[in-house]
Amino acid sequence: MYPPKLNNIINLFEMLPEVERRETLVSYADSAKKQEPRAGEQFELEDVRKDEECADTVGVYLHVDEEGKAHFRMTLGAEVQTLTRAMTAILCKGLDGATPQEILELPSDFVTRIVGEQLVRVRSQTTYYILTRMKGICKVYLDRQRRMAAAAVA
Amino acid sequence: MNLPTSYAHPEALVETDWLAEHLNDDGIRIVESNEDILLYDTGHIPGAVHIDWRSDLQDPLIRDYISPEKFAEVCSRNGITPDTTCVFYGDKANWWATYALWAFRLFGHTKVKVLNGGRDKWKAEGRPSTREVPKYPRTDYPVPPKRFDAEIRAFADDALKQSKAGQPLIDVRSPGEFKGDITHMPEYPQEGVLRGGHIPGAKSVPWKTAANDNGTFKSASELAKIYMQDCGITPEKETIVYCRIGERSSHTWFVLTYLLGIDNVRNYDGSWTEWGNRVGMPIERGA
């Protein structure tokens, strides 16, 4: 149902008691900077913007390899909240290698299983924001591919 | 009018230097309260406890604050007694710290202080931080006999009465929210408000007017000019402050109450998310 790497992360979080769950989220947040684009990397799509749903600018960079697998990089402004940073690292790792179509069709119910019901309840918009942005760039990519395919047939 | 030149209650404000020297004092509990729910977990002032404005201080079902019994439990599990001086600090120039302080006052806890400049100033000065969550012996905080809503909290009907009577109402939201161009803070989530604008007769004094760029409070003279001279707020008139959900107005409530010594100020915590959604409430738009 979920991409294998994401499934492993979900299983990890579900085993953790609440205190360790928060510690693990903070560890992921600390590693979010590692998801930034690296020198020489090429992307099919880049989407850098400041939305009202988030406290600062978030950049999403999508590369789709020759096998049609998606790879993400992200940039986060200084004011982006810790939970958003955590979700950035989790989703970049968890969705790496999934196809854009799989990501677009991914149900969002796993977020609660990672973050926990309490955090989702008190900061719901924060927890879903990054997933929404990643799905958004996948949709743009797939729409573009369809248009190109249609143009090639015509 | 003679404007004050010093804070009315300077003891309610502590500087980072002072706190650094009193981290381990008996009778003090440092309380961090943030907008960023995991910020405390990333590192906090040594010895500080975390009290979240939403999960700890608000009822999970009804839009209201917790009961006196639950407040006693929050204090007891954080090793707080009625004699404990709570020093509040947090992110966003102490929005949520002053909100938590105000909520503590709702339950009659009067030994409260704010760390001037909050979390950002402490961090900017390179002061110590830890991820170690302190453990304090549990206390037996007595259940407060009542909540002091009437003294420091305003409800929608109080704000309506204030508006009709032409008494001071201070809207501390951004100018765009006041004018009705937007219904939430710039760069913040939409909170589902159906109408934009402000309570008729309210004056626009954004919360940030009271703060310096580093999040510290402006001087007494500067604050007195802003609120007393330019807005006409006096100790003789009752004043109501509001924002969107009551957090930014807690900052202004603290300024008026503790720094300027105006006692009869109430925070309308229902604020615009209630007023802008409630059927039949009068609204003004424009500057």
Side-chain angles (χ1 to χ4, degrees):
Chain A
M1 183 177 181
Y2 303 112
K5 291 177 183 173
L6 181 62
N7 210 40
N8 289 341
I9 295 174
I10 295 168
N11 291 338
L12 165 71
F13 273 94
E14 285 196 315
M15 290 191 306
L16 298 174
E18 185 58 27
V19 171
E20 289 180 37
R21 181 198 297 271
R22 291 175 75 107
E23 287 172 356
T24 307
L25 284 170
V26 170
S27 295
Y28 270 105
D30 289 344
S31 70
K33 205 162 177 56
K34 293 178 185 167
Q35 308 306 324
E36 290 183 353
R38 292 161 197 178
E41 287 185 328
Q42 300 288 319
F43 302 98
E44 275 67 37
L45 283 172
E46 299 179 11
D47 175 21
V48 182
R49 64 173 193 262
K50 165 74 191 72
D51 285 326
E52 63 182 35
E53 290 88 349
C54 191
D56 207 339
T57 302
V58 170
V60 186
Y61 304 78
L62 174 67
H63 169 59
V64 181
D65 65 22
E66 292 173 348
E67 296 178 355
K69 310 283 189 187
H71 306 280
F72 290 94
R73 295 289 186 204
M74 307 276 293
T75 53
L76 304 174
E79 297 298 316
V80 169
Q81 296 199 3
T82 310
L83 195 48
T84 306
R85 292 180 186 282
M87 289 307 294
T88 296
I90 288 167
L91 292 174
C92 279
K93 290 174 183 170
L95 298 181
D96 185 64
T99 67
Q101 189 65 40
E102 287 170 340
I103 294 167
L104 199 57
E105 293 171 357
L106 188 66
S108 58
D109 56 356
F110 70 89
V111 173
T112 304
R113 295 168 62 188
I114 289 175
V115 173
E117 286 184 5
Q118 192 201 7
L119 288 182
V120 169
R121 193 168 56 244
V122 298
R123 302 291 196 275
S124 59
Q125 283 170 301
T126 307
T127 50
Y128 291 105
Y129 176 70
I130 294 295
L131 179 62
T132 303
R133 289 288 304 275
M134 293 169 100
K135 285 189 172 206
I137 201 168
C138 286
K139 183 172 188 311
V140 171
Y141 175 82
L142 290 168
D143 287 347
R144 193 173 73 173
Q145 294 299 104
R146 284 189 198 102
R147 280 197 305 273
M148 288 168 64
V153 169
Chain B
M1 183 195 305
N2 287 328
L3 298 177
T5 55
S6 58
Y7 292 145
H9 299 286
E11 73 283 359
L13 204 55
V14 301
E15 301 298 328
T16 48
D17 280 342
W18 182 92
L19 188 58
E21 291 169 8
H22 294 82
L23 288 178
N24 300 312
D25 283 11
D26 288 339
I28 283 181
R29 184 69 68 246
I30 305 166
V31 178
E32 178 163 334
S33 198
N34 298 316
E35 178 173 275
D36 183 334
I37 186 74
L38 288 175
L39 198 56
Y40 172 88
D41 302 72
T42 68
H44 49 265
I45 296 176
V49 298
H50 182 215
I51 293 183
D52 184 57
W53 63 278
R54 188 154 177 183
S55 54
D56 289 317
L57 297 175
Q58 292 194 346
D59 187 283
L61 185 60
I62 298 168
R63 185 177 175 183
D64 202 351
Y65 296 93
I66 51 176
S67 65
E69 289 78 11
K70 286 188 175 167
F71 177 76
E73 168 57 26
V74 168
C75 290
S76 297
R77 74 165 180 257
N78 284 297
I80 296 170
T81 75
D83 290 326
T84 303
T85 297
C86 293
V87 181
F88 293 88
Y89 79 102
D91 61 0
K92 301 283 176 190
N94 281 325
W95 284 2
W96 304 101
T98 50
Y99 183 89
L101 181 152
W102 176 77
F104 267 57
R105 283 285 315 273
L106 275 181
F107 294 97
H109 193 100
T110 55
K111 294 194 169 185
V112 291
K113 297 178 187 290
V114 167
L115 174 64
N116 202 10
R119 181 183 167 98
D120 287 346
K121 186 165 185 282
W122 182 272
K123 190 178 174 189
E125 292 171 348
R127 296 185 184 276
S129 175
T130 180
R131 289 189 176 183
E132 185 182 339
V133 176
K135 296 270 187 261
Y136 295 107
R138 185 180 172 83
T139 57
D140 188 17
Y141 197 100
V143 175
K146 66 167 193 169
R147 222 170 50 189
F148 289 77
D149 285 1
E151 287 78 3
I152 60 170
R153 186 183 188 193
F155 293 90
D157 290 343
D158 301 321
L160 183 60
K161 194 174 161 188
Q162 190 88 344
S163 172
K164 286 179 175 172
Q167 293 296 305
L169 271 163
I170 303 298
D171 184 319
V172 315
R173 297 173 301 159
S174 62
E177 292 171 275
F178 182 83
K179 284 189 282 185
D181 296 341
I182 54 177
T183 54
H184 52 89
M185 289 174 275
E187 306 178 358
Y188 268 77
Q190 171 61 254
E191 293 280 350
V193 180
L194 295 174
R195 294 290 186 274
H198 57 265
I199 299 175
K203 289 185 178 175
S204 172
V205 188
W207 72 274
K208 187 93 175 63
T209 313
N212 296 308
D213 289 343
N214 67 354
T216 57
F217 293 100
K218 286 185 176 171
S219 69
S221 300
E222 290 171 304
L223 295 173
K225 182 179 183 310
I226 295 164
Y227 294 102
M228 300 174 84
Q229 184 175 303
D230 297 346
C231 271
I233 295 175
T234 68
E236 290 76 37
K237 290 182 194 167
E238 186 171 288
T239 298
I240 292 176
V241 295
Y242 72 94
C243 58
R244 187 181 53 129
I245 56 172
E247 88 291 16
R248 286 173 288 178
S249 47
S250 296
H251 188 276
T252 302
W253 174 85
F254 177 83
V255 167
L256 296 175
T257 302
Y258 284 96
L259 304 186
L260 291 178
I262 300 168
D263 289 333
N264 49 2
V265 181
R266 289 188 290 162
N267 184 20
Y268 170 32
D269 60 282
S271 279
W272 199 254
T273 52
E274 179 180 43
W275 195 279
N277 280 325
R278 189 164 157 181
V279 174
M281 299 305 264
I283 290 174
E284 277 183 355
R285 283 198 176 140

Short mmCIF file of all heavy atoms in Angstrom, two decimals, chain A residues 50-86:
data_model
loop_
_atom_site.label_atom_id
_atom_site.label_comp_id
_atom_site.label_asym_id
_atom_site.label_seq_id
_atom_site.Cartn_x
_atom_site.Cartn_y
_atom_site.Cartn_z
N LYS A 50 6.25 30.67 -1.08
CA LYS A 50 5.80 30.90 0.30
C LYS A 50 4.27 30.83 0.30
O LYS A 50 3.62 31.66 -0.32
CB LYS A 50 6.28 32.29 0.75
CG LYS A 50 5.61 32.82 2.00
CD LYS A 50 6.11 32.13 3.24
CE LYS A 50 5.23 32.50 4.43
NZ LYS A 50 3.88 31.88 4.39
N ASP A 51 3.73 29.81 0.96
CA ASP A 51 2.28 29.66 1.06
C ASP A 51 1.78 30.16 2.40
O ASP A 51 2.53 30.17 3.39
CB ASP A 51 1.89 28.18 0.93
CG ASP A 51 1.99 27.70 -0.50
OD1 ASP A 51 1.71 28.50 -1.40
OD2 ASP A 51 2.36 26.53 -0.70
N GLU A 52 0.52 30.50 2.46
CA GLU A 52 -0.03 30.94 3.74
C GLU A 52 -0.11 29.80 4.75
O GLU A 52 -0.16 30.04 5.95
CB GLU A 52 -1.41 31.57 3.55
CG GLU A 52 -2.46 30.64 3.00
CD GLU A 52 -3.78 31.36 2.79
OE1 GLU A 52 -3.75 32.55 2.42
OE2 GLU A 52 -4.81 30.74 3.00
N GLU A 53 -0.07 28.57 4.27
CA GLU A 53 -0.16 27.44 5.21
C GLU A 53 1.15 27.19 5.96
O GLU A 53 1.19 26.39 6.88
CB GLU A 53 -0.52 26.14 4.46
CG GLU A 53 -1.92 26.09 3.92
CD GLU A 53 -2.02 26.68 2.53
OE1 GLU A 53 -1.03 27.31 2.08
OE2 GLU A 53 -3.09 26.53 1.91
N CYS A 54 2.22 27.85 5.54
CA CYS A 54 3.51 27.59 6.17
C CYS A 54 4.17 28.90 6.56
O CYS A 54 3.94 29.94 5.94
CB CYS A 54 4.40 26.82 5.19
SG CYS A 54 5.89 26.16 5.96
N ALA A 55 4.98 28.84 7.62
CA ALA A 55 5.55 30.06 8.20
C ALA A 55 6.67 30.66 7.35
O ALA A 55 7.07 31.79 7.60
CB ALA A 55 6.06 29.77 9.60
N ASP A 56 7.20 29.93 6.38
CA ASP A 56 8.30 30.47 5.58
C ASP A 56 8.33 29.76 4.22
O ASP A 56 7.55 28.84 3.97
CB ASP A 56 9.63 30.27 6.33
CG ASP A 56 10.67 31.32 5.94
OD1 ASP A 56 10.54 31.92 4.87
OD2 ASP A 56 11.62 31.51 6.72
N THR A 57 9.27 30.16 3.39
CA THR A 57 9.37 29.61 2.03
C THR A 57 9.82 28.15 2.05
O THR A 57 10.71 27.78 2.82
CB THR A 57 10.39 30.44 1.23
OG1 THR A 57 9.94 31.80 1.21
CG2 THR A 57 10.50 29.94 -0.21
N VAL A 58 9.19 27.36 1.21
CA VAL A 58 9.57 25.95 1.05
C VAL A 58 9.80 25.70 -0.45
O VAL A 58 8.96 26.06 -1.27
CB VAL A 58 8.48 25.01 1.58
CG1 VAL A 58 8.78 23.54 1.19
CG2 VAL A 58 8.36 25.12 3.10
N GLY A 59 10.94 25.11 -0.78
CA GLY A 59 11.24 24.77 -2.16
C GLY A 59 11.20 23.26 -2.34
O GLY A 59 11.76 22.51 -1.54
N VAL A 60 10.51 22.81 -3.39
CA VAL A 60 10.44 21.38 -3.71
C VAL A 60 11.08 21.18 -5.08
O VAL A 60 10.76 21.90 -6.03
CB VAL A 60 8.98 20.88 -3.76
CG1 VAL A 60 8.94 19.36 -3.94
CG2 VAL A 60 8.22 21.28 -2.50
N TYR A 61 12.01 20.25 -5.15
CA TYR A 61 12.74 19.98 -6.40
C TYR A 61 12.55 18.51 -6.73
O TYR A 61 12.82 17.63 -5.91
CB TYR A 61 14.24 20.26 -6.21
CG TYR A 61 14.54 21.67 -5.75
CD1 TYR A 61 14.35 22.02 -4.41
CD2 TYR A 61 15.00 22.64 -6.63
CE1 TYR A 61 14.60 23.32 -3.98
CE2 TYR A 61 15.26 23.94 -6.20
CZ TYR A 61 15.06 24.26 -4.87
OH TYR A 61 15.32 25.53 -4.44
N LEU A 62 12.06 18.25 -7.96
CA LEU A 62 11.74 16.88 -8.37
C LEU A 62 12.62 16.43 -9.52
O LEU A 62 12.72 17.11 -10.54
CB LEU A 62 10.26 16.80 -8.80
CG LEU A 62 9.81 15.46 -9.40
CD1 LEU A 62 9.84 14.35 -8.36
CD2 LEU A 62 8.41 15.60 -10.00
N HIS A 63 13.25 15.28 -9.32
CA HIS A 63 13.97 14.62 -10.41
C HIS A 63 13.33 13.25 -10.62
O HIS A 63 13.12 12.51 -9.66
CB HIS A 63 15.45 14.45 -10.06
CG HIS A 63 16.19 13.55 -11.00
ND1 HIS A 63 16.26 13.80 -12.36
CD2 HIS A 63 16.85 12.37 -10.80
CE1 HIS A 63 16.94 12.83 -12.94
NE2 HIS A 63 17.31 11.95 -12.02
N VAL A 64 13.00 12.95 -11.87
CA VAL A 64 12.47 11.62 -12.19
C VAL A 64 13.51 10.93 -13.07
O VAL A 64 13.88 11.43 -14.13
CB VAL A 64 11.11 11.73 -12.92
CG1 VAL A 64 10.57 10.34 -13.23
CG2 VAL A 64 10.12 12.51 -12.06
N ASP A 65 13.97 9.76 -12.59
CA ASP A 65 15.08 9.11 -13.31
C ASP A 65 14.58 8.32 -14.53
O ASP A 65 13.38 8.32 -14.82
CB ASP A 65 15.89 8.23 -12.34
CG ASP A 65 15.09 7.06 -11.78
OD1 ASP A 65 14.08 6.65 -12.41
OD2 ASP A 65 15.45 6.54 -10.71
N GLU A 66 15.50 7.65 -15.19
CA GLU A 66 15.16 6.95 -16.43
C GLU A 66 14.14 5.84 -16.22
O GLU A 66 13.44 5.43 -17.14
CB GLU A 66 16.44 6.37 -17.05
CG GLU A 66 17.38 7.45 -17.56
CD GLU A 66 18.71 6.89 -18.00
OE1 GLU A 66 18.98 5.70 -17.72
OE2 GLU A 66 19.48 7.65 -18.62
N GLU A 67 14.07 5.33 -14.99
CA GLU A 67 13.09 4.28 -14.69
C GLU A 67 11.76 4.85 -14.21
O GLU A 67 10.86 4.11 -13.80
CB GLU A 67 13.65 3.34 -13.61
CG GLU A 67 14.89 2.58 -14.07
CD GLU A 67 15.47 1.70 -12.97
OE1 GLU A 67 14.95 1.77 -11.83
OE2 GLU A 67 16.41 0.97 -13.25
N GLY A 68 11.63 6.15 -14.25
CA GLY A 68 10.38 6.78 -13.85
C GLY A 68 10.23 6.92 -12.33
O GLY A 68 9.12 7.13 -11.83
N LYS A 69 11.33 6.80 -11.60
CA LYS A 69 11.27 6.90 -10.13
C LYS A 69 11.56 8.34 -9.70
O LYS A 69 12.45 9.00 -10.25
CB LYS A 69 12.32 5.99 -9.48
CG LYS A 69 12.32 4.56 -9.99
CD LYS A 69 11.19 3.76 -9.40
CE LYS A 69 11.35 2.27 -9.76
NZ LYS A 69 10.18 1.49 -9.34
N ALA A 70 10.84 8.79 -8.71
CA ALA A 70 10.97 10.18 -8.25
C ALA A 70 12.03 10.30 -7.15
O ALA A 70 12.17 9.40 -6.30
CB ALA A 70 9.63 10.67 -7.71
N HIS A 71 12.75 11.42 -7.20
CA HIS A 71 13.73 11.73 -6.16
C HIS A 71 13.54 13.22 -5.81
O HIS A 71 13.51 14.05 -6.71
CB HIS A 71 15.15 11.47 -6.65
CG HIS A 71 15.33 10.07 -7.18
ND1 HIS A 71 15.52 8.98 -6.37
CD2 HIS A 71 15.27 9.59 -8.46
CE1 HIS A 71 15.61 7.89 -7.11
NE2 HIS A 71 15.46 8.24 -8.39
N PHE A 72 13.44 13.51 -4.52
CA PHE A 72 13.14 14.87 -4.09
C PHE A 72 14.32 15.53 -3.39
O PHE A 72 15.11 14.86 -2.70
CB PHE A 72 11.97 14.86 -3.09
CG PHE A 72 10.65 14.53 -3.69
CD1 PHE A 72 10.18 13.22 -3.68
CD2 PHE A 72 9.87 15.50 -4.29
CE1 PHE A 72 8.96 12.89 -4.23
CE2 PHE A 72 8.63 15.19 -4.84
CZ PHE A 72 8.18 13.87 -4.82
N ARG A 73 14.40 16.85 -3.57
CA ARG A 73 15.22 17.71 -2.72
C ARG A 73 14.32 18.83 -2.22
O ARG A 73 13.36 19.21 -2.90
CB ARG A 73 16.40 18.30 -3.51
CG ARG A 73 17.40 17.27 -4.00
CD ARG A 73 18.19 16.70 -2.87
NE ARG A 73 19.25 15.82 -3.36
CZ ARG A 73 19.78 14.86 -2.61
NH1 ARG A 73 19.35 14.65 -1.38
NH2 ARG A 73 20.74 14.11 -3.09
N MET A 74 14.67 19.36 -1.05
CA MET A 74 13.83 20.42 -0.46
C MET A 74 14.70 21.51 0.14
O MET A 74 15.76 21.24 0.70
CB MET A 74 12.96 19.84 0.68
CG MET A 74 12.13 18.62 0.33
SD MET A 74 10.57 18.97 -0.46
CE MET A 74 9.68 19.77 0.85
N THR A 75 14.22 22.75 0.04
CA THR A 75 14.84 23.85 0.79
C THR A 75 13.79 24.44 1.72
O THR A 75 12.61 24.56 1.37
CB THR A 75 15.35 24.95 -0.16
OG1 THR A 75 14.29 25.35 -1.03
CG2 THR A 75 16.53 24.46 -0.99
N LEU A 76 14.22 24.80 2.94
CA LEU A 76 13.30 25.32 3.95
C LEU A 76 13.80 26.65 4.49
O LEU A 76 14.97 26.78 4.84
CB LEU A 76 13.18 24.32 5.12
CG LEU A 76 12.78 22.89 4.77
CD1 LEU A 76 12.85 22.00 6.01
CD2 LEU A 76 11.36 22.86 4.20
N GLY A 77 12.91 27.64 4.56
CA GLY A 77 13.27 28.92 5.14
C GLY A 77 13.52 28.80 6.64
O GLY A 77 13.11 27.81 7.28
N ALA A 78 14.17 29.80 7.20
CA ALA A 78 14.59 29.73 8.60
C ALA A 78 13.42 29.64 9.57
O ALA A 78 13.55 29.10 10.68
CB ALA A 78 15.43 30.97 8.93
N GLU A 79 12.26 30.17 9.19
CA GLU A 79 11.12 30.19 10.10
C GLU A 79 10.25 28.93 10.03
O GLU A 79 9.26 28.83 10.76
CB GLU A 79 10.25 31.41 9.82
CG GLU A 79 10.93 32.75 10.05
CD GLU A 79 11.35 32.95 11.50
OE1 GLU A 79 10.56 32.63 12.39
OE2 GLU A 79 12.49 33.39 11.73
N VAL A 80 10.59 28.02 9.15
CA VAL A 80 9.78 26.80 9.02
C VAL A 80 9.82 26.02 10.33
O VAL A 80 10.87 25.85 10.94
CB VAL A 80 10.30 25.93 7.85
CG1 VAL A 80 9.66 24.55 7.86
CG2 VAL A 80 10.02 26.63 6.52
N GLN A 81 8.65 25.55 10.76
CA GLN A 81 8.54 24.93 12.08
C GLN A 81 9.17 23.52 12.12
O GLN A 81 9.34 22.87 11.08
CB GLN A 81 7.08 24.86 12.51
CG GLN A 81 6.50 26.25 12.68
CD GLN A 81 5.25 26.27 13.52
OE1 GLN A 81 4.80 25.26 14.05
NE2 GLN A 81 4.68 27.46 13.66
N THR A 82 9.48 23.11 13.32
CA THR A 82 10.21 21.85 13.53
C THR A 82 9.46 20.65 12.94
O THR A 82 10.07 19.76 12.32
CB THR A 82 10.44 21.63 15.03
OG1 THR A 82 11.00 22.83 15.58
CG2 THR A 82 11.38 20.48 15.29
N LEU A 83 8.16 20.61 13.14
CA LEU A 83 7.38 19.49 12.64
C LEU A 83 7.41 19.43 11.11
O LEU A 83 7.47 18.35 10.51
CB LEU A 83 5.93 19.61 13.15
CG LEU A 83 5.02 18.40 13.05
CD1 LEU A 83 5.68 17.14 13.56
CD2 LEU A 83 3.72 18.68 13.80
N THR A 84 7.40 20.59 10.48
CA THR A 84 7.48 20.64 9.02
C THR A 84 8.86 20.15 8.57
O THR A 84 8.99 19.45 7.56
CB THR A 84 7.23 22.08 8.53
OG1 THR A 84 5.99 22.53 9.07
CG2 THR A 84 7.18 22.14 7.02
N ARG A 85 9.89 20.53 9.31
CA ARG A 85 11.25 20.05 8.98
C ARG A 85 11.32 18.52 9.09
O ARG A 85 11.90 17.85 8.25
CB ARG A 85 12.27 20.66 9.94
CG ARG A 85 12.45 22.14 9.77
CD ARG A 85 13.48 22.71 10.74
NE ARG A 85 13.50 24.15 10.61
CZ ARG A 85 14.10 24.80 9.61
NH1 ARG A 85 14.77 24.13 8.72
NH2 ARG A 85 14.03 26.11 9.51
N ALA A 86 10.69 18.01 10.15
CA ALA A 86 10.70 16.56 10.35
C ALA A 86 9.99 15.85 9.19
O ALA A 86 10.50 14.87 8.63
CB ALA A 86 10.02 16.21 11.67
#
